[in-house]
Amino acid sequence: MKTSSILRDSLCESIIDMVKIQAEENGDEIAVYTKKDSINYRELIERASIIAGYMKTIGIKKGDFVILEAVSDISYVLTYLAIQIVGAISSPVERGVQLEKLEYEISLVGAVYYFSRNDNRIKSAPTMHYDELLAEANDWNLPLEYERPLLSDIREVIFTTGTTGKSKATLHSTLNIETNTVNTVKGIGINSSDIVLIPLPLNHSFGMRVLRAVFSVGGAVVLQSGAVFSSAIIENIRKFNCTAMASVSATMESVI
């Protein structure tokens, strides 16, 4: 019997359900653009499933906390989705996180693995570079079948910035994420024709909620590493014909 939800007519239970529906109905539509690459919805779910299969072979299982470096790259999105397919709990940290802070956050949640774009090796958890992860997964080529989570299952951790002390781990359930996504879609008015520029860190709730909201309606996101340079923002808007941008007020002031 399907778990009931007041949001059932708006969205599926999880981000993976959302992406799978888009892959089935609009598989050739681009889901993610970056400066160098792009990926459509069909490729997104197929590749994430293969990465999830490899994750299972290295011992990652449902309920495990997995730390991943939030870089504005397709490899990050694939890894994030793969963690969700396994049933583990994605725990993104900022790009270039200091090792002392990283070690603390790993110990805070008891993370079993750390995936990143850098070559740092840490003491408290096994580590793997995204390129190595994707290559190993392709070699194994064992897609993992997705099991839908309960609405109460913890699916994600967002770490606070720690500006008033040490970072804290905020836990988000399937229903938390679903509700958050619905609010974002309805509040902003995102639709399938939108191409949304996200020059935001993807370890923060704002960037991730916009990413999920766009996926839920079958739009496309353009990932940009940071919003420091307004010229890069303008270039991406023109290059990809962006219809919207997620930003903070300081970014808008810089662009203007």
Side-chain angles (χ1 to χ4, degrees):
M1 182 176 178
K2 206 171 186 181
T3 307
S4 62
S5 168
I6 59 173
L7 302 172
R8 194 65 61 228
D9 60 343
S10 301
L11 284 179
C12 305
E13 286 83 356
S14 74
I15 180 61
I16 299 303
D17 292 308
M18 301 173 200
V19 175
K20 286 184 71 175
I21 285 176
Q22 298 306 328
E24 292 167 1
E25 298 180 355
N26 309 292
D28 293 330
E29 296 295 324
I30 298 297
V32 183
Y33 291 101
T34 67
K35 188 175 182 179
K36 298 180 180 179
D37 206 356
S38 65
I39 188 169
N40 65 34
Y41 276 100
R42 185 178 298 107
E43 293 169 329
L44 194 65
I45 197 65
E46 287 177 354
R47 292 180 64 187
S49 297
I50 288 172
I51 295 168
Y54 176 69
M55 286 181 176
K56 188 173 181 180
T57 69
I58 59 175
I60 297 174
K61 61 186 184 302
K62 182 177 180 179
D64 285 342
F65 289 87
V66 179
I67 301 277
L68 65 165
E69 184 186 21
V71 294
S72 297
D73 189 83
I74 290 173
S75 61
Y76 167 75
V77 178
L78 287 169
T79 304
Y80 164 73
L81 293 176
I83 292 169
Q84 295 292 311
I85 292 172
V86 171
I89 303 166
S90 56
S91 312
V93 296
E94 69 262 32
R95 180 168 55 93
V97 61
Q98 294 182 351
L99 289 181
E100 182 180 355
K101 184 178 181 182
L102 175 61
E103 294 279 9
Y104 169 74
E105 290 174 338
I106 287 174
S107 65
L108 185 63
V109 297
V112 300
Y113 239 98
Y114 171 53
F115 298 107
S116 74
R117 175 54 65 189
N118 60 65
D119 293 315
N120 290 332
R121 298 301 180 195
I122 56 178
K123 298 177 181 178
S124 52
T127 64
M128 187 177 292
H129 193 285
Y130 285 133
D131 290 346
E132 182 183 357
L133 171 64
L134 270 59
E136 291 288 342
N138 286 336
D139 287 343
W140 281 79
N141 194 24
L142 295 171
L144 183 66
E145 186 174 347
Y146 175 62
E147 293 184 18
R148 181 172 292 167
L150 299 175
L151 293 177
S152 59
D153 285 347
I154 299 302
R155 309 302 298 125
E156 184 174 271
V157 164
I158 295 293
F159 293 106
T160 62
T161 57
T163 52
T164 58
K166 287 189 174 182
S167 296
K168 298 176 180 63
T170 62
L171 307 180
H172 299 263
S173 69
T174 310
L175 183 57
N176 290 150
I177 294 171
E178 179 186 21
T179 305
N180 183 280
T181 303
V182 171
N183 288 343
T184 304
V185 170
K186 292 185 175 181
I188 299 174
I190 301 172
N191 60 60
S192 60
S193 63
D194 277 322
I195 302 172
V196 182
L197 177 61
I198 306 181
L200 297 168
L202 295 176
N203 61 300
H204 287 179
S205 59
F206 185 17
M208 288 303 294
R209 73 184 294 171
V210 174
L211 179 76
R212 286 190 291 259
V214 176
F215 284 171
S216 74
V217 298
V221 296
V222 178
L223 300 183
Q224 178 180 317
S225 183
V228 176
F229 301 107
S230 58
S231 59
I233 290 175
I234 295 169
E235 179 184 347
N236 279 327
I237 290 173
R238 289 173 174 165
K239 178 179 179 180
F240 298 105
N241 297 311
C242 295
T243 60
M245 176 175 72
S247 71
V248 295
S249 57
T251 301
M252 290 303 300
E253 290 172 1
S254 175
V255 171
I256 291 170

